[in-house]
Amino acid sequence: ASDMVVQILIYDMKGIVVHRLDLGQQPAGYYISPERAAYWDGKNESGELVSSGMYFYQLKAEDFTSVKRLVILK
C-alpha cells in the first residue's frame, strides 16, 4: 500500500540463487499488465540460459516476503 524497494530472487531446486532482479523503489499499485510487470530473460547471473525445470522466486519488498514456484519449459 506504499512505495517500497523491491527485489526478486530466483532460486534453483538446490536453493542456490540463479538470478537477482533489483527493481529499486517502486510505487504502490498492481503490476499485472505487461508494461508494469517485472521481466526475467531466463538467464543466470553469468548470462547463460537456465535449463528447463522447477525454480522458485522470492519477492522482497522491505518487510514483506513471498515465495512461489515457477517452471521453465523449453
Side-chain angles (χ1 to χ4, degrees):
S2 62
D3 299 356
M4 293 186 182
V5 175
V6 177
Q7 181 182 53
I8 298 174
L9 300 166
I10 300 168
Y11 298 90
D12 64 13
M13 290 296 291
K14 297 177 188 173
I16 298 170
V17 175
V18 174
H19 195 75
R20 180 183 325 264
L21 296 170
D22 291 314
L23 303 175
Q25 186 78 16
Q26 295 292 316
Y30 292 99
Y31 289 81
I32 56 174
S33 66
E35 301 83 39
R36 296 190 70 190
Y39 177 76
W40 175 46
D41 59 5
K43 296 180 181 177
N44 63 19
E45 293 289 312
S46 301
E48 303 164 331
L49 287 173
V50 299
S51 59
S52 296
M54 176 134 15
Y55 293 84
F56 295 94
Y57 67 93
Q58 178 182 33
L59 172 67
K60 291 182 173 184
E62 295 182 16
D63 59 347
F64 173 81
T65 300
S66 177
V67 177
K68 305 279 182 174
R69 293 180 301 209
L70 85 105
V71 176
I72 301 289
L73 298 174
K74 293 184 180 182

